[in-house]
PDB file of all heavy atoms in Angstrom:
ATOM      1  N   PRO A1135      16.183  -4.306  -1.670  1.00 91.00           N
ATOM      2  CA  PRO A1135      17.286  -3.393  -1.993  1.00 91.00           C
ATOM      3  C   PRO A1135      18.291  -3.195  -0.863  1.00 91.00           C
ATOM      4  O   PRO A1135      19.493  -3.125  -1.121  1.00 91.00           O
ATOM      5  CB  PRO A1135      16.572  -2.083  -2.353  1.00 91.00           C
ATOM      6  CG  PRO A1135      15.238  -2.184  -1.675  1.00 91.00           C
ATOM      7  CD  PRO A1135      14.879  -3.633  -1.700  1.00 91.00           C
ATOM      8  N   ALA A1147      33.906  -4.956   1.048  1.00 89.00           N
ATOM      9  CA  ALA A1147      34.819  -4.474   2.088  1.00 89.00           C
ATOM     10  C   ALA A1147      35.690  -5.609   2.612  1.00 89.00           C
ATOM     11  O   ALA A1147      36.913  -5.450   2.787  1.00 89.00           O
ATOM     12  CB  ALA A1147      34.020  -3.839   3.221  1.00 89.00           C
ATOM     13  N   VAL A1182      18.382   5.309   4.229  1.00 90.00           N
ATOM     14  CA  VAL A1182      19.315   5.908   5.189  1.00 90.00           C
ATOM     15  C   VAL A1182      20.346   4.879   5.660  1.00 90.00           C
ATOM     16  O   VAL A1182      21.552   5.153   5.698  1.00 90.00           O
ATOM     17  CB  VAL A1182      18.543   6.494   6.389  1.00 90.00           C
ATOM     18  CG1 VAL A1182      19.499   6.952   7.476  1.00 90.00           C
ATOM     19  CG2 VAL A1182      17.664   7.652   5.928  1.00 90.00           C
ATOM     20  N   LEU A1185      22.699   3.981   2.748  1.00 92.00           N
ATOM     21  CA  LEU A1185      23.650   5.059   2.474  1.00 92.00           C
ATOM     22  C   LEU A1185      24.778   5.051   3.489  1.00 92.00           C
ATOM     23  O   LEU A1185      25.951   5.269   3.145  1.00 92.00           O
ATOM     24  CB  LEU A1185      22.915   6.406   2.500  1.00 92.00           C
ATOM     25  CG  LEU A1185      23.762   7.640   2.174  1.00 92.00           C
ATOM     26  CD1 LEU A1185      24.313   7.538   0.756  1.00 92.00           C
ATOM     27  CD2 LEU A1185      22.922   8.911   2.332  1.00 92.00           C
ATOM     28  N   VAL A1189      28.734   4.692   2.508  1.00 91.00           N
ATOM     29  CA  VAL A1189      29.720   5.685   2.960  1.00 91.00           C
ATOM     30  C   VAL A1189      30.774   5.029   3.833  1.00 91.00           C
ATOM     31  O   VAL A1189      31.965   5.330   3.732  1.00 91.00           O
ATOM     32  CB  VAL A1189      29.006   6.827   3.717  1.00 91.00           C
ATOM     33  CG1 VAL A1189      30.029   7.761   4.370  1.00 91.00           C
ATOM     34  CG2 VAL A1189      28.124   7.619   2.764  1.00 91.00           C
ATOM     35  N   THR A1252     -29.135  10.898 -14.307  1.00 66.00           N
ATOM     36  CA  THR A1252     -29.910   9.751 -14.788  1.00 66.00           C
ATOM     37  C   THR A1252     -30.969   9.337 -13.778  1.00 66.00           C
ATOM     38  O   THR A1252     -32.141   9.127 -14.117  1.00 66.00           O
ATOM     39  CB  THR A1252     -28.969   8.572 -15.079  1.00 66.00           C
ATOM     40  OG1 THR A1252     -28.036   8.961 -16.080  1.00 66.00           O
ATOM     41  CG2 THR A1252     -29.742   7.360 -15.558  1.00 66.00           C
ATOM     42  N   ALA A1264     -46.986   8.351 -11.321  1.00 76.00           N
ATOM     43  CA  ALA A1264     -47.786   8.054 -10.123  1.00 76.00           C
ATOM     44  C   ALA A1264     -48.861   9.107  -9.907  1.00 76.00           C
ATOM     45  O   ALA A1264     -50.017   8.794  -9.574  1.00 76.00           O
ATOM     46  CB  ALA A1264     -46.873   7.954  -8.903  1.00 76.00           C
ATOM     47  N   ALA A1266     -50.220  11.006 -12.207  1.00 75.00           N
ATOM     48  CA  ALA A1266     -51.242  10.858 -13.248  1.00 75.00           C
ATOM     49  C   ALA A1266     -52.175   9.694 -12.933  1.00 75.00           C
ATOM     50  O   ALA A1266     -53.404   9.778 -13.132  1.00 75.00           O
ATOM     51  CB  ALA A1266     -50.564  10.650 -14.605  1.00 75.00           C
ATOM     52  N   ALA A1289     -38.265   2.201 -13.250  1.00 76.00           N
ATOM     53  CA  ALA A1289     -37.418   1.742 -12.146  1.00 76.00           C
ATOM     54  C   ALA A1289     -36.369   0.753 -12.648  1.00 76.00           C
ATOM     55  O   ALA A1289     -35.199   0.806 -12.233  1.00 76.00           O
ATOM     56  CB  ALA A1289     -38.275   1.103 -11.056  1.00 76.00           C
ATOM     57  N   ARG A1291     -35.104   0.572 -15.661  1.00 71.00           N
ATOM     58  CA  ARG A1291     -34.104   1.321 -16.437  1.00 71.00           C
ATOM     59  C   ARG A1291     -33.175   2.111 -15.517  1.00 71.00           C
ATOM     60  O   ARG A1291     -31.974   2.192 -15.760  1.00 71.00           O
ATOM     61  CB  ARG A1291     -34.815   2.257 -17.411  1.00 71.00           C
ATOM     62  CG  ARG A1291     -35.564   1.542 -18.524  1.00 71.00           C
ATOM     63  CD  ARG A1291     -36.389   2.506 -19.350  1.00 71.00           C
ATOM     64  NE  ARG A1291     -35.527   3.528 -19.969  1.00 71.00           N
ATOM     65  CZ  ARG A1291     -36.013   4.574 -20.661  1.00 71.00           C
ATOM     66  NH1 ARG A1291     -37.328   4.727 -20.767  1.00 71.00           N
ATOM     67  NH2 ARG A1291     -35.189   5.437 -21.196  1.00 71.00           N
ATOM     68  N   LEU A1303     -17.446   3.436 -11.889  1.00 58.00           N
ATOM     69  CA  LEU A1303     -16.856   4.119 -10.744  1.00 58.00           C
ATOM     70  C   LEU A1303     -15.940   3.210  -9.943  1.00 58.00           C
ATOM     71  O   LEU A1303     -15.113   3.681  -9.165  1.00 58.00           O
ATOM     72  CB  LEU A1303     -17.953   4.662  -9.827  1.00 58.00           C
ATOM     73  CG  LEU A1303     -18.760   5.837 -10.387  1.00 58.00           C
ATOM     74  CD1 LEU A1303     -19.920   6.149  -9.464  1.00 58.00           C
ATOM     75  CD2 LEU A1303     -17.884   7.054 -10.578  1.00 58.00           C
ATOM     76  N   ASP A1319     -20.233 -10.415   9.902  1.00 84.00           N
ATOM     77  CA  ASP A1319     -19.115 -10.716   9.003  1.00 84.00           C
ATOM     78  C   ASP A1319     -17.759 -10.484   9.658  1.00 84.00           C
ATOM     79  O   ASP A1319     -16.730 -10.841   9.080  1.00 84.00           O
ATOM     80  CB  ASP A1319     -19.221  -9.868   7.732  1.00 84.00           C
ATOM     81  CG  ASP A1319     -20.455 -10.203   6.922  1.00 84.00           C
ATOM     82  OD1 ASP A1319     -20.751 -11.403   6.796  1.00 84.00           O
ATOM     83  OD2 ASP A1319     -21.115  -9.274   6.423  1.00 84.00           O
ATOM     84  N   ARG A1336     -14.729 -11.830  19.316  1.00 90.00           N
ATOM     85  CA  ARG A1336     -15.849 -12.214  20.175  1.00 90.00           C
ATOM     86  C   ARG A1336     -16.930 -11.148  20.068  1.00 90.00           C
ATOM     87  O   ARG A1336     -16.655  -9.951  20.201  1.00 90.00           O
ATOM     88  CB  ARG A1336     -15.411 -12.358  21.625  1.00 90.00           C
ATOM     89  CG  ARG A1336     -16.511 -12.962  22.517  1.00 90.00           C
ATOM     90  CD  ARG A1336     -16.016 -13.151  23.931  1.00 90.00           C
ATOM     91  NE  ARG A1336     -15.863 -11.871  24.612  1.00 90.00           N
ATOM     92  CZ  ARG A1336     -15.215 -11.715  25.776  1.00 90.00           C
ATOM     93  NH1 ARG A1336     -14.643 -12.766  26.343  1.00 90.00           N
ATOM     94  NH2 ARG A1336     -15.108 -10.532  26.341  1.00 90.00           N
ATOM     95  N   VAL A1348     -25.129   1.087  10.893  1.00 82.00           N
ATOM     96  CA  VAL A1348     -24.310   0.853  12.081  1.00 82.00           C
ATOM     97  C   VAL A1348     -23.506  -0.437  11.937  1.00 82.00           C
ATOM     98  O   VAL A1348     -22.304  -0.484  12.238  1.00 82.00           O
ATOM     99  CB  VAL A1348     -25.184   0.807  13.345  1.00 82.00           C
ATOM    100  CG1 VAL A1348     -24.348   0.464  14.574  1.00 82.00           C
ATOM    101  CG2 VAL A1348     -25.883   2.142  13.546  1.00 82.00           C
ATOM    102  N   LEU A1355     -14.786  -0.319  10.634  1.00 89.00           N
ATOM    103  CA  LEU A1355     -13.873   0.123  11.688  1.00 89.00           C
ATOM    104  C   LEU A1355     -13.014  -1.040  12.167  1.00 89.00           C
ATOM    105  O   LEU A1355     -11.811  -0.883  12.405  1.00 89.00           O
ATOM    106  CB  LEU A1355     -14.661   0.718  12.852  1.00 89.00           C
ATOM    107  CG  LEU A1355     -15.428   2.020  12.573  1.00 89.00           C
ATOM    108  CD1 LEU A1355     -16.256   2.411  13.785  1.00 89.00           C
ATOM    109  CD2 LEU A1355     -14.465   3.143  12.199  1.00 89.00           C
ATOM    110  N   SER A1396       7.472   5.549  19.225  1.00 51.00           N
ATOM    111  CA  SER A1396       7.117   6.844  18.643  1.00 51.00           C
ATOM    112  C   SER A1396       6.694   6.694  17.192  1.00 51.00           C
ATOM    113  O   SER A1396       5.796   7.387  16.716  1.00 51.00           O
ATOM    114  CB  SER A1396       8.309   7.801  18.744  1.00 51.00           C
ATOM    115  OG  SER A1396       9.454   7.239  18.092  1.00 51.00           O
ATOM    116  N   GLY A1399       3.106   5.565  16.991  1.00 50.00           N
ATOM    117  CA  GLY A1399       2.171   6.650  17.247  1.00 50.00           C
ATOM    118  C   GLY A1399       2.032   7.591  16.071  1.00 50.00           C
ATOM    119  O   GLY A1399       0.957   8.063  15.753  1.00 50.00           O
ATOM    120  N   GLU A1412     -13.980   9.984  11.231  1.00 75.00           N
ATOM    121  CA  GLU A1412     -14.998  10.660  10.438  1.00 75.00           C
ATOM    122  C   GLU A1412     -16.235   9.781  10.277  1.00 75.00           C
ATOM    123  O   GLU A1412     -17.368  10.249  10.415  1.00 75.00           O
ATOM    124  CB  GLU A1412     -14.419  11.006   9.065  1.00 75.00           C
ATOM    125  CG  GLU A1412     -15.386  11.701   8.120  1.00 75.00           C
ATOM    126  CD  GLU A1412     -15.710  13.118   8.539  1.00 75.00           C
ATOM    127  OE1 GLU A1412     -15.008  13.655   9.420  1.00 75.00           O
ATOM    128  OE2 GLU A1412     -16.667  13.682   7.990  1.00 75.00           O
ATOM    129  N   LEU A1417     -22.118   9.039  12.182  1.00 78.00           N
ATOM    130  CA  LEU A1417     -23.203   8.247  12.762  1.00 78.00           C
ATOM    131  C   LEU A1417     -23.489   8.631  14.203  1.00 78.00           C
ATOM    132  O   LEU A1417     -24.190   7.913  14.915  1.00 78.00           O
ATOM    133  CB  LEU A1417     -22.865   6.754  12.679  1.00 78.00           C
ATOM    134  CG  LEU A1417     -22.762   6.190  11.252  1.00 78.00           C
ATOM    135  CD1 LEU A1417     -22.326   4.742  11.285  1.00 78.00           C
ATOM    136  CD2 LEU A1417     -24.098   6.322  10.525  1.00 78.00           C
ATOM    137  N   ALA A1443     -26.511  11.091  13.148  1.00 47.00           N
ATOM    138  CA  ALA A1443     -25.656  12.076  13.801  1.00 47.00           C
ATOM    139  C   ALA A1443     -26.403  12.747  14.949  1.00 47.00           C
ATOM    140  O   ALA A1443     -27.616  12.992  14.873  1.00 47.00           O
ATOM    141  CB  ALA A1443     -25.198  13.130  12.800  1.00 47.00           C
TER     142      ALA A1443
END
Side-chain angles (χ1 to χ4, degrees):
V1182 172
L1185 182 62
V1189 172
T1252 300
R1291 292 173 60 186
L1303 290 172
D1319 296 318
R1336 189 177 71 193
V1348 176
L1355 294 175
S1396 57
E1412 179 70 13
L1417 295 176

